Amino acid sequence: MQIVEPTRTLEVADEFDLIVCGAGPAGMAAAINASRLGLRVLLVESQGCLGGIWTAGLLCLVLDVAGKGGFLEEISERLDAAGARLPRPGRVDFLYDPEAMKVLLEQLCEEEGVHVRLHTRVVSAVRDGDGLRAIITEGPGGRQAFAASLFVDSTGNGDLAAYAGCAYDHGHPETGKIQPATLFAIISGVPKDEPGTRSGEDKVRFRKMLNSVGVDPSYQSPSLFPLPHPDLHCLMINHEYNVRCDSAEKITKATMRARKELHFAVEALRRLPGWEQVRLVITASHIGLREGRRVRGLYTITVDDLLAGRRFDDGICLVRFGIDVHALERNATTGYTNFGLRSKPYHIPYRALVAHDLNNLAIAGRCISGDFYAHASYRVTGNAVPMGEAVAIAAAMARDTGSFHAVDGKAVSEKMRARGYEL
């Protein structure tokens, strides 16, 4: 059986200088900073809140923040002012309150005049030669078209680029296997003397604790992090394997399996002495996909770049996070590995943030141009924020030409350095 959709003509609902698709950490940084630089910006998000994996995904942890100034430093300072950030001594990351993060991001968009559309999903792209002309969205108001001169794909999965026909890669280059997804949760009632999982040894101890009450977590290195609220912890015990970003069926089944696992584990923990009051407060509405499409850009970051610690004259931030490939199969004996590959601090070049096939499309977040192993390093959100900020700077430079290809990456790098990013 086949169904033929009727042809329809859409009036363009509005026009902008820049349209940002996806309001996760990269998209937020792109939209807010572009608006500050004088662009009229539309931010489109499928979830009911801003922040993506930071908020709807309940990640609660920002990794690889050392040497990152600019917008990431501003976010940190504003979370501090709200009592909603918890640095981890001796580590280059921090924990945060996801509800405080939601309202902070909304405040920033209101302050800077970003036009926001929540509950709105990009479903198609209108291409004009080697550039984009408009996006098509679906939301509570039905199907709508929005036009712009410049676009940013910060969907995490490279959805806009794929709809526009851009080339991309996905998964391991030989096996096609992809990193697992994880559904995060927040729990209360953890015993006061529970230190959480601050080391690999702590994770082994926590796993044995779970095993003792009949729980065999699908993630081999289960984690428990204290949050700024004194009675809340973030729980990460789940791995869902082979969950493709382009399969609603697989994402749905993975989400439901993961939520069942979390409920079972928390109920089991209540049988331990001192854990009688533990409760599952909330599970994420947005399962965390570690891997989606990697859109081909003007440059592709490779594992060789990481091993050599390469610096580029158009570098936009310095990545210190190592190669972190979470188990690709359920029967793995460890939760994650670097396959013996030890990276050195390296640059993300501006060219990796620009789609090769479209001159007015930038990419920010984990869908930038890189190979499987490089992606396993730069994918964390402490790097997504500077990617978005760099794209915003480039968008201001491209306002007259309508081309990210024409932007001088060295100039973008200089402006990122001036904003406090170590390069």
Side-chain angles (χ1 to χ4, degrees):
M1 178 179 176
Q2 291 182 325
I3 295 175
V4 178
E5 289 190 279
T7 301
R8 53 181 147 180
T9 300
L10 291 177
E11 293 290 333
V12 172
D14 206 344
E15 295 193 41
F16 298 86
D17 297 317
L18 177 70
I19 293 178
V20 179
C21 298
M28 292 301 310
I32 291 167
N33 284 281
S35 190
R36 286 175 173 172
L37 291 169
L39 279 70
R40 187 167 187 261
V41 179
L42 173 65
L43 178 60
V44 177
E45 169 57 40
S46 62
Q47 302 286 329
C49 63
L50 302 174
I53 190 64
W54 271 356
T55 54
L58 298 182
L59 177 61
C60 299
L61 175 65
V62 181
L63 295 168
D64 204 6
V65 301
K68 308 284 172 50
F71 190 62
L72 187 56
E73 185 175 37
E74 179 183 348
I75 290 287
S76 299
E77 290 173 350
R78 292 184 69 151
L79 287 172
D80 281 339
R85 191 176 81 100
L86 184 63
R88 299 207 289 175
R91 297 178 62 104
V92 290
D93 54 37
F94 65 82
L95 295 147
Y96 63 89
D97 177 343
E99 195 62 30
M101 182 73 85
K102 286 180 188 177
V103 71
L104 170 58
L105 297 178
E106 289 177 1
Q107 288 171 350
L108 285 165
C109 283
E110 289 176 1
E111 289 169 9
E112 304 305 333
V114 177
H115 298 260
V116 175
R117 286 293 184 101
L118 299 176
H119 304 288
T120 302
R121 182 178 295 277
V122 178
V123 296
S124 187
V126 180
R127 186 166 174 167
D128 182 12
D130 59 358
L132 281 177
R133 179 70 187 99
I135 60 168
I136 308 297
T137 67
E138 290 278 4
R143 200 169 179 90
Q144 290 186 297
F146 297 94
S149 302
L150 300 163
F151 298 82
V152 176
D153 187 335
S154 49
T155 60
N157 296 321
D159 291 339
L160 176 59
Y163 296 152
C166 292
Y168 61 84
D169 298 295
H170 193 199
H172 190 281
E174 297 171 3
T175 66
K177 292 179 180 177
I178 54 180
Q179 291 202 52
T182 290
L183 190 71
F184 291 85
I186 292 176
I187 63 175
S188 65
V190 173
K192 302 298 183 185
D193 60 353
E194 168 57 47
T197 52
R198 295 174 292 188
S199 66
E201 291 78 11
D202 285 334
K203 293 179 180 181
V204 171
R205 174 187 59 80
F206 187 45
R207 182 175 183 83
K208 289 180 178 177
M209 183 187 300
L210 289 163
N211 291 161
S212 73
V213 288
V215 178
D216 181 22
S218 55
Y219 177 33
Q220 293 291 327
S221 302
S223 302
L224 182 69
F225 308 122
L227 296 181
H229 189 291
D231 190 43
L232 296 180
H233 283 68
C234 179
L235 181 66
M236 182 176 72
I237 65 168
N238 167 256
H239 266 175
E240 293 294 329
Y241 300 91
N242 194 35
V243 184
R244 289 186 59 91
C245 70
D246 56 0
S247 172
E249 180 182 12
K250 288 189 174 183
I251 293 171
T252 299
K253 289 181 177 179
T255 301
M256 294 173 70
R257 276 195 308 267
R259 189 166 285 121
K260 182 178 180 180
E261 179 179 5
L262 286 163
H263 276 264
F264 175 76
V266 173
E267 285 299 309
L269 281 170
R270 293 175 61 189
R271 298 199 294 270
L272 288 172
W275 288 75
E276 293 87 354
Q277 299 305 312
V278 70
R279 295 291 188 278
L280 184 56
V281 176
I282 188 171
T283 56
S285 60
H286 166 65
I287 194 168
L289 300 182
R290 287 184 177 84
E291 191 167 355
R293 304 176 186 90
R294 305 189 304 275
V295 181
R296 292 183 191 172
L298 298 180
Y299 182 86
T300 299
I301 307 169
T302 69
V303 66
D304 290 336
D305 293 330
L306 277 61
L307 299 180
R310 288 215 170 91
R311 311 297 173 97
F312 301 92
D313 58 10
D314 62 344
I316 59 97
C317 74
L318 190 66
V319 178
R320 289 185 170 86
F321 194 70
I323 296 169
D324 178 36
V325 180
H326 280 238
L328 301 178
E329 297 177 328
R330 178 68 174 90
N331 60 2
T333 57
T334 58
Y336 46 85
T337 181
N338 63 4
F339 291 101
L341 301 169
R342 298 191 177 277
S343 62
K344 300 175 182 177
Y346 65 94
H347 279 166
I348 293 175
Y350 167 72
R351 289 163 291 163
L353 311 181
V354 182
H356 178 276
D357 297 337
L358 291 168
N359 61 28
N360 66 341
L361 176 63
I363 41 183
R366 59 183 168 82
C367 57
I368 68 166
S369 185
D371 69 17
F372 175 82
Y373 296 101
H375 164 273
S377 167
Y378 61 65
R379 64 177 172 79
V380 298
T381 64
N383 299 313
V385 172
M387 292 181 207
E389 192 165 357
V391 163
I393 292 169
M397 295 179 178
R399 189 171 188 173
D400 294 333
T401 65
S403 172
F404 285 111
H405 286 205
V407 170
D408 181 359
K410 295 179 185 178
V412 176
S413 178
E414 290 167 1
K415 289 184 180 294
M416 290 293 284
R417 187 192 300 273
R419 290 179 175 223
Y421 285 96
E422 182 182 343
L423 293 171

